[in-house]
Amino acid sequence: MSKQPEAHRRAFLKGAGAAATLPLLGATAGAQANAPQQPWDREVDVVVVGSGAAGLSAALFAHEAGANVVVLEKGPTVGGTTARSGGVHFIPNNHLLRASGTTESKEDFLRFIVRITYPASYHPDAPRFGATEAEYALLETFYDEAAPAIEALEQMGAVTYMPMLDHNHEPFNDNFVELPENRCPRGRSIVCVPESIEEGRFYYNGGGGLGVDLIHLLRKATAARRIPILTRHAVEDLVVNGDDEVIGVVATTRKGTVRVGARRGVIFGSGGYLHNPAFRRTYMRTPTYGGCGIPTNQGDFLRLAGGLGASTGNLDQGWWMEVLLEEAIQSSDAPTGVWVVPGDSSLMVNRYGKRFCNEKNQPGGRPQTHFVWDPVAVEFPNRVSMMIWDKRAVELFGGIYGIQKAGEPLPKHVISGATLAELADNIASRLTTVAQHTGDMTLDPHFTTNLQSSVEQFNQFARNGKDEQFRRGQAQGDIGWHYYGGVPKVDNPYPNELMHPLSDQGPYFAALVVAGAIDSKGGPKVNRQAQVINMDGEPIGGLYGAGNCIAAPSAATYWGGGGTIGPAVVFGSIAGRSAAAQSSRSLNRTSG
């Protein structure tokens, strides 16, 4: 006799350590299995939930494999977080690399990717380079399927790709160029060729399209294949048969409940849980304040798959970025992400007035310095950091990542002072207004003195051209991210183009910066076929996942530009083909 849904739910709650949390958040998946049979409003082969890169890729590949598909989107518009993104795909050994004469072997890629994804267990001579069998299987699958998936999208006529280019019009670098295991440090990041260049719009991927362009192309391809995309359809429940196989979904709309049967499978590409405050506080590393993921990313798949006993992983991780504290207080949907501290005459200090990081380190790494815990002082000393800049930064980098535009009134998040001492006093005053959101964090009594010393030391490093504390500007990743987004190259007479002494005279400016994320990157685990697996490692029949709603194959690491969308598209393609290949199931609740 198969397990009942309630038993699955108990197993999940026990295994996830969340018995006191998930029921309060509505873990009701499985209830539909025991309800009286009700008619379906629509019957298809494959239901795809979510219309970002993962979902639309899954829909296209399922359709090309012969399946009848419908896409259900919770939000009012198509595109999910992908539509807000740069649209970059991280794709090893892609056809553009090969055409340029660079071939990346499977062994080289896997050695490198295990090195950065699982650094604690990596060993060059260990089986699978130290990764577990399950970890290695997903990375190996990604390599095997990544380039073919992109080529298939081109062959469908859906998307045409080009290299993502940096400020020098060279292929964009990865985040770990200097590691000896990285045999292909440039060229894995690719972007779509936009259908047309819109007058007045800036294309900062070296002429390539952004996420909105990618979604336009994918949506056009689905429309050409008559794949319906139904917006404002929030999937609230899964329907399973007597064998605990998923055979459909229940969605709420403005007109009521809609039941959609899936003869071959249900694929989730519905995003993570960033904007679910309870999930964010329970699972994600503390303190994370919000980010730029679409507001509908509220962990629906984590709740629904958890109710069916799905194994979960990576729940404490996110696609990290920094955000402006006062924006995040207003809403967890904080659009002004601080990808790197902008400008060259700028730095970041903690509550002690001391620098604590390389301000140009890649956005997947630097934000994690906010999570450092001091067990002696019993505090997160870097929880709220102060981004500091001068009038030169305003004149040359205004409007970028939180710096105000020259000649315009100061935005609410910008703090100013005629001197560094006055700036420190004004920062202290501003912190009192947000104390309830910061654990009542205040500045150390020596903050002003330390800030002045930090600026003096930074200025000396800038004159010498070498950051002796945090090696700012020494890695290719620092340089690539400094210029990302169309940041202008300015005249800097000093040896390190990412460092310029702050002015000896004010005014000076500051903003309160905290940890955030593009989205979470943990959730139900999947296997090589993108099937969701239970805690015994067995697939849950009829249930697939891709994108930010699953446990990311990249674990805690941001591989490089497109490290989010690349795997989303690839595992979306796998999910689509896998689901379409299944035999049709009866849509009755008894096993069929």
Side-chain angles (χ1 to χ4, degrees):
M1 180 180 293
S2 62
K3 296 180 182 177
Q4 294 301 309
E6 182 58 34
H8 279 311
R9 191 181 306 114
R10 286 196 301 269
F12 168 75
L13 297 177
K14 180 180 179 182
T21 303
L22 280 178
L24 298 177
L25 297 171
T28 59
Q32 290 293 324
N34 299 318
Q37 180 76 48
Q38 299 178 39
W40 300 104
D41 297 290
R42 183 189 290 256
E43 298 181 12
V44 295
D45 294 323
V46 175
V47 173
V48 175
V49 183
S51 65
L56 294 186
S57 297
L60 285 170
F61 279 87
H63 177 275
E64 296 301 286
N68 178 23
V69 184
V70 65
V71 179
L72 306 181
E73 166 58 47
K74 182 178 182 179
T77 59
V78 174
T81 299
T82 303
R84 293 181 164 192
S85 74
V88 187
H89 302 37
F90 182 96
I91 302 294
N93 200 37
N94 61 70
H95 63 297
L96 301 172
L97 267 173
R98 300 196 305 273
S100 71
T102 300
T103 300
E104 182 176 23
S105 74
K106 183 174 181 177
E107 181 180 359
D108 282 349
F109 175 75
L110 289 172
R111 179 186 292 107
F112 163 64
I113 215 69
V114 173
R115 165 70 178 86
I116 63 173
T117 306
Y118 299 105
S121 58
Y122 170 77
H123 192 284
D125 300 322
R128 301 179 299 274
F129 306 112
T132 67
E133 186 174 352
E135 292 165 349
Y136 194 79
L138 291 186
L139 297 176
E140 184 177 43
T141 298
F142 177 64
Y143 176 89
D144 290 341
E145 300 293 341
I150 296 307
E151 292 169 40
L153 284 171
E154 288 202 335
Q155 291 163 6
M156 289 179 203
V159 185
T160 301
Y161 288 96
M162 61 173 282
M164 177 190 180
L165 303 178
D166 65 14
H167 62 290
N168 288 322
H169 296 282
E170 297 291 334
F172 199 80
N173 53 262
D174 292 349
N175 288 339
F176 305 94
V177 171
E178 287 71 27
L179 288 178
E181 294 86 2
N182 193 352
R183 305 286 179 84
C184 183
R186 291 178 178 269
R188 296 189 184 106
S189 296
I190 63 175
V191 292
C192 71
V193 176
E195 185 174 53
S196 62
I197 301 296
E198 295 179 20
E199 185 177 354
R201 190 168 133 213
F202 186 64
Y203 289 80
Y204 56 77
N205 288 331
L210 307 180
V212 65
D213 299 293
L214 175 65
I215 291 300
H216 169 75
L217 294 170
L218 294 175
R219 188 175 186 182
K220 186 176 179 180
T222 56
R225 290 160 175 78
R226 299 182 183 277
I227 301 172
I229 303 176
L230 308 180
T231 58
R232 299 186 189 274
H233 279 60
V235 173
E236 299 289 348
D237 213 342
L238 300 174
V239 182
V240 299
N241 64 18
D243 292 326
D244 291 345
E245 298 170 320
V246 177
I247 58 170
V249 301
V250 180
T252 58
T253 74
R254 289 179 294 179
K255 296 181 179 180
T257 299
V258 173
R259 297 167 46 78
V260 185
R263 290 181 287 266
R264 301 185 189 179
V266 174
I267 303 170
F268 275 79
S270 53
Y273 63 80
L274 179 69
H275 296 299
N276 183 322
F279 277 14
R280 193 170 66 243
R281 180 165 181 166
T282 300
Y283 297 120
M284 195 169 276
R285 295 174 70 180
T286 300
T288 302
Y289 283 84
C292 63
I294 205 76
T296 52
N297 291 354
Q298 296 170 342
D300 298 335
F301 189 44
L302 177 60
R303 174 176 59 84
L304 293 169
L308 293 180
S311 179
T312 60
N314 221 41
L315 289 178
D316 64 339
Q317 294 297 329
W319 299 103
W320 304 117
M321 64 183 294
E322 287 172 306
V323 296
L324 300 175
L325 171 62
E326 286 157 296
E327 276 194 359
I329 288 172
Q330 295 299 314
S331 170
S332 65
D333 182 17
T336 306
V338 181
W339 289 97
V340 295
V341 173
D344 49 18
S345 54
S346 56
L347 67 153
M348 185 129 59
V349 298
N350 62 16
R351 67 176 291 264
Y352 293 96
K354 297 180 179 181
R355 288 180 71 208
F356 60 92
C357 68
N358 173 353
E359 296 91 348
K360 302 295 183 178
N361 182 240
Q362 49 97 0
R366 186 192 67 262
Q368 297 188 61
T369 57
H370 290 274
F371 304 135
V372 171
W373 173 252
D374 184 339
V376 177
V378 195
E379 67 174 3
F380 295 99
N382 311 326
R383 175 173 182 160
V384 180
S385 66
M386 278 54 71
M387 185 168 77
I388 310 292
W389 65 94
D390 65 359
K391 58 185 178 181
R392 168 190 165 85
V394 176
E395 293 165 358
L396 298 177
F397 300 94
I400 301 171
Y401 305 152
I403 292 182
Q404 76 273 24
K405 293 182 180 180
E408 295 188 3
L410 288 185
K412 293 181 179 179
H413 69 270
V414 175
I415 308 163
S416 65
T419 64
L420 288 175
E422 183 178 304
L423 180 68
D425 288 341
N426 292 338
I427 290 171
S429 296
R430 182 68 62 88
L431 283 171
T432 63
T433 69
V434 296
Q436 62 179 316
H437 304 282
T438 66
D440 200 24
M441 195 196 89
T442 59
L443 298 183
D444 182 78
H446 302 291
F447 177 87
T448 301
T449 301
N450 290 339
L451 173 62
Q452 293 168 334
S453 297
S454 294
V455 170
E456 289 175 10
Q457 185 181 56
F458 176 90
N459 287 352
Q460 190 59 49
F461 292 160
R463 295 185 187 98
N464 296 339
K466 186 175 182 180
D467 179 2
E468 297 179 10
Q469 272 189 300
F470 300 107
R471 298 186 290 177
R472 170 169 162 170
Q474 293 183 34
Q476 288 298 308
D478 291 4
I479 299 171
W481 285 110
H482 169 79
Y483 289 110
Y484 177 71
V487 173
K489 194 163 188 174
V490 303
D491 182 26
N492 183 342
Y494 295 94
N496 187 330
E497 63 185 303
L498 272 55
M499 299 183 74
H500 187 288
L502 273 71
S503 173
D504 292 334
Q505 308 240 331
Y508 301 100
F509 307 94
L512 307 180
V513 176
V514 293
I518 300 170
D519 196 4
S520 60
K521 59 184 303 192
K525 293 181 180 180
V526 299
N527 61 17
R528 286 179 179 264
Q529 290 74 44
Q531 296 170 296
V532 177
I533 59 175
N534 63 24
M535 284 180 280
D536 295 323
E538 298 298 321
I540 296 173
L543 191 59
Y544 303 80
N548 292 347
C549 66
I550 66 169
S554 56
T557 305
Y558 181 37
W559 295 334
T564 306
I565 293 178
V569 168
V570 173
F571 280 89
S573 74
I574 295 169
R577 287 185 281 108
S578 297
Q582 298 301 310
S583 300
S584 293
R585 298 179 176 90
S586 168
L587 294 183
N588 294 321
R589 289 221 181 79
T590 57
S591 59

